[in-house]
Amino acid sequence: MAEKNTVDFWFDPICPWCWMTSRWILDVEKIRDIEVNWRPFSLPLLNKGRDLPKSYQKHMDESWAPARVAMAVADKHPEKLGEFYTAIGEEIHHNDNKSNDHKDAIAIALKNVDLPAELAEYGENDQYDAKLEESIKDAQKLVGDDVGVPVVAFNGTAFFGPVFSPAPQGEEAGKVFDAAVALASYPGFFELKRSRNVGPIFNTEK
C-alpha cells in the first residue's frame, strides 16, 4: 500500500495562478491518498517596501484583506480554512468580485462557509500580519526568498509551483502529482521552468 503523501500549500487568495494550482490539488485529493495543509501567504506583505511598478503597487495596496482574513480563519477556525479559500477564490476568480478592496468577496465567502461575519474586520487591520509573516518565513525556509505563490511542499520538499493554465483534472491531475512527488523525492532536483505564453485559464466545471 502506498504511503500517504503530505502537501503543504501556501496561498494568497488574490493570485490566479495559485488558485489554479490549488484546484489541481483538490482534484488530486479525490484520487490519491494525500493530506493537504493549507497555509496563508500575503503577497502585499511580501512586497511591502519594494519598488514595484505603479499598476502592481496599486493591486497590492488593494489586496491586503483576503490573506489577513484567511489568517484569522486559520487561527480561529482552522478546520474551515480550505473551504474559505475555495469560497473566496470562486468570488474573486470566477465571479470577478474584486470590488471594495475585496471586502465584498470576503463577506460572501464567510457567509457561504458559515463563518462569523465579524472575521472580515481582521482584513482592516494588521493584527494578523505577524502570523502571516511567520507563515511566509516558513515557506521561505523551504523554498528560498525569491518566490511568490503558489509554494507547494511535497512531503517536506517545497517548490514555487507548479504553475498551470489550465490545471490538469481527473486522472491526469494524479499523474502530474505523481511526477511532482517523484521529483521532490530526489535531493538534487531544484528547478524546471519555461516562459508562460498564455494567461490564466480557469476550469469552471464543478
Side-chain angles (χ1 to χ4, degrees):
M1 184 176 178
E3 292 184 7
K4 181 187 288 284
N5 289 294
T6 299
V7 175
D8 293 284
F9 195 110
W10 280 266
F11 69 93
D12 187 323
I14 67 168
C15 178
W17 303 101
C18 187
W19 171 250
M20 286 186 288
T21 303
S22 73
R23 301 309 92 183
W24 164 65
I25 285 295
L26 289 186
D27 259 20
V28 172
E29 199 172 26
K30 299 173 186 175
I31 56 176
R32 295 291 189 271
D33 188 16
I34 67 172
E35 177 183 345
V36 183
N37 301 311
W38 301 102
R39 306 285 300 274
F41 191 106
S42 171
L43 291 171
L45 186 58
L46 178 72
N47 287 293
K48 187 177 181 180
R50 296 183 179 181
D51 186 16
L52 303 173
K54 287 184 179 180
S55 60
Y56 192 66
Q57 183 63 63
K58 183 176 185 295
H59 178 50
M60 290 295 96
D61 291 343
E62 296 171 348
S63 300
W64 281 90
R68 284 172 164 170
V69 175
M71 193 74 248
V73 173
D75 183 50
K76 296 179 177 296
H77 303 274
E79 76 285 354
K80 289 275 195 175
L81 182 57
E83 292 179 58
F84 174 74
Y85 180 27
T86 290
I88 193 170
E90 287 177 350
E91 281 301 307
I92 292 172
H93 303 297
H94 292 287
N95 298 337
D96 199 30
N97 186 356
K98 302 171 187 176
S99 61
N100 197 21
D101 293 352
H102 301 90
K103 296 181 185 69
D104 295 346
I106 289 168
I108 292 170
L110 290 171
K111 181 179 179 180
N112 285 347
V113 296
D114 297 319
L115 282 168
E118 55 265 27
L119 286 172
E121 297 172 9
Y122 293 106
E124 302 304 302
N125 58 63
D126 63 1
Q127 182 169 336
Y128 276 99
D129 285 9
K131 285 186 177 293
L132 276 169
E133 192 166 359
E134 285 180 21
S135 187
I136 291 169
K137 287 180 178 177
D138 286 344
Q140 290 175 330
K141 287 174 186 175
L142 295 176
V143 77
D145 58 6
D146 189 25
V147 297
V149 285
V151 171
V152 186
F154 303 94
N155 302 317
T157 299
F159 302 103
F160 170 67
V163 175
F164 302 110
S165 187
Q169 296 179 300
E171 184 53 37
E172 190 171 30
K175 288 169 60 179
V176 174
F177 178 79
D178 295 341
V181 170
L183 289 172
S185 72
Y186 178 62
F189 176 75
F190 296 99
E191 183 177 7
L192 278 174
K193 187 171 183 178
R194 62 174 175 163
S195 297
R196 294 194 296 262
N197 58 8
V198 297
I201 303 171
F202 301 124
N203 292 318
T204 57
E205 297 83 356
K206 298 293 180 99

